[in-house]
Amino acid sequence: MSRIITRRALITSAAVGGAGLLAGCDKVANDPNFRKILFSGEKMNLGLQRALSNRHALAPEFRPDQMSPRFRTNGTRNPNTPDYTAMLAARFAHWRLQVGGLVTRPLSLSLAQIRAIPARTQITRHDCVEGWSAIGKWHGPMLGTILKAAGLRSDARYIVFTCADLFRGRNYYESIDVIDAFHPQTILAWAMNDAVLDVGHGAPLRLRVERQLGYKHAKYVMRIDAVASLAGIGKGKGGYWEDAVDYDWYAGI
Ligand SMILES: Nc1nc2c(c(=O)[nH]1)N[C@H]1C(S)=C(S)[C@@H](COP(=O)(O)O)O[C@H]1N2
Ligand SMILES: [Mo]
């Protein structure tokens, strides 16, 4: 690709190049100069940016000695609903994760079953949109493993997480697309910092979607549904904060 090509021409040719470019030019998309031009803002096409980002790149992982001595909690710190309080009192013995929607084999998994699935351990940095970060260790099965077990149908485009808590009176939920759902660092964590996940951080199960900001990491996950569209869920923008204050649905970092 010529060096004197203008930004506009580049973006236009990328746009008309369409599928061919997207399919064949990973090398180009990851070239730092190309990315600088494409991501520099002016008339930037968000869809194009997303399409050309390397969605499979890994988030940085850290050493144990880099873990934050304190990892704050944010948003809901205890769902405190009658249902949740009862489940907590029984140490989640009757809790089940429901996996449904566009799957061929809906699942209802106990915590013991989830803990028996081969798990990943990752030390990553959590970045909250409010401006704080913390490095913690997370442990749990890859979401992809569970979705494969459920048999994701080919018309599924998004995975929706329904949580046990009401935040400021409304049910917390979040969604990601199937690309992030099958990212190797997207896990359902049941342990944090070598201990069973506590209530503040989302017991018994919370999502880690390491390429995105904190509000996407749904805590207190009760249900996972594969859907073709986000319309009709909440206010239709794909998550609690997206609906509430127009946060971006794709909160890539
Ligand atoms: N169910 C639920 N999930 C949630 C929230 C919430 O209020 N309820 N807050 C989100 C926000 S804004 C952040 S930064 C992280 C905080 O996770 P932590 O409490 O483990 O630090 O959880 C996210 N997931
Ligand atoms: Mo956050």
Side-chain angles (χ1 to χ4, degrees):
M1 201 170 278
S2 152
R3 274 174 179 277
I4 52 159
I5 194 163
T6 64
R7 174 192 300 178
R8 174 163 302 278
L10 189 60
I11 292 175
T12 311
S13 73
V16 295
L21 181 93
L22 300 187
C25 291
D26 257 19
K27 249 200 210 124
V28 177
N30 290 319
D31 178 288
N33 291 320
F34 182 80
R35 292 174 66 89
K36 217 183 288 163
I37 296 166
L38 190 69
F39 288 67
S40 60
E42 186 199 344
K43 294 250 161 90
M44 185 178 65
N45 176 327
L46 193 62
L48 190 59
Q49 176 191 333
R50 276 185 47 211
L52 291 172
S53 302
N54 183 355
R55 301 286 311 280
H56 304 285
L58 295 178
E61 294 195 16
F62 297 83
R63 299 185 310 270
D65 62 283
Q66 295 173 301
M67 285 163 59
S68 304
R70 189 173 163 273
F71 196 120
R72 60 168 286 187
T73 55
N74 202 32
T76 301
R77 294 182 167 88
N78 184 335
N80 262 320
T81 63
D83 281 354
Y84 184 85
T85 304
M87 289 189 292
L88 176 62
R91 304 182 70 193
F92 301 106
H94 311 296
W95 173 94
R96 291 288 182 282
L97 173 70
Q98 309 295 341
V99 184
L102 300 174
V103 297
T104 52
R105 295 177 292 273
L107 304 174
S108 172
L109 300 172
S110 70
L111 205 46
Q113 286 174 313
I114 289 171
R115 288 176 179 163
I117 303 171
R120 193 176 198 283
T121 304
Q122 57 204 32
I123 302 177
T124 53
R125 196 185 64 212
H126 179 98
D127 293 305
C128 174
V129 72
E130 293 164 18
W132 59 273
S133 302
I135 296 176
K137 186 196 276 190
W138 302 97
H139 178 82
M142 291 193 291
L143 175 62
T145 306
I146 291 173
L147 294 176
K148 277 180 204 153
L152 199 62
R153 281 173 32 183
S154 59
D155 46 346
R157 290 189 58 201
Y158 304 99
I159 307 299
V160 180
F161 305 86
T162 304
C163 307
D165 59 316
L166 303 172
F167 190 66
R168 298 181 184 150
R170 286 199 297 114
N171 199 218
Y172 203 96
Y173 81 100
E174 259 307 335
S175 64
I176 59 177
D177 64 14
V178 290
I179 298 177
D180 269 343
F182 284 95
H183 187 283
Q185 289 169 318
T186 299
I187 65 171
L188 290 171
W190 54 265
M192 175 194 183
N193 295 356
D194 298 311
V196 165
L197 192 63
D198 64 16
V199 171
H201 293 291
L205 197 68
R206 68 97 53 85
L207 176 68
R208 294 298 309 169
V209 50
E210 305 293 356
R211 300 282 313 280
Q212 297 205 47
L213 290 173
Y215 61 89
K216 302 297 292 188
H217 299 230
K219 306 196 282 189
Y220 318 109
V221 175
M222 299 294 295
R223 282 200 62 86
I224 296 178
D225 286 288
V227 299
S229 154
L230 298 171
I233 301 167
K235 290 189 185 169
K237 290 185 178 167
Y240 179 96
W241 288 107
E242 292 89 325
D243 284 345
V245 285
D246 238 7
Y247 280 6
D248 286 338
W249 172 77
Y250 187 74
I253 42 180

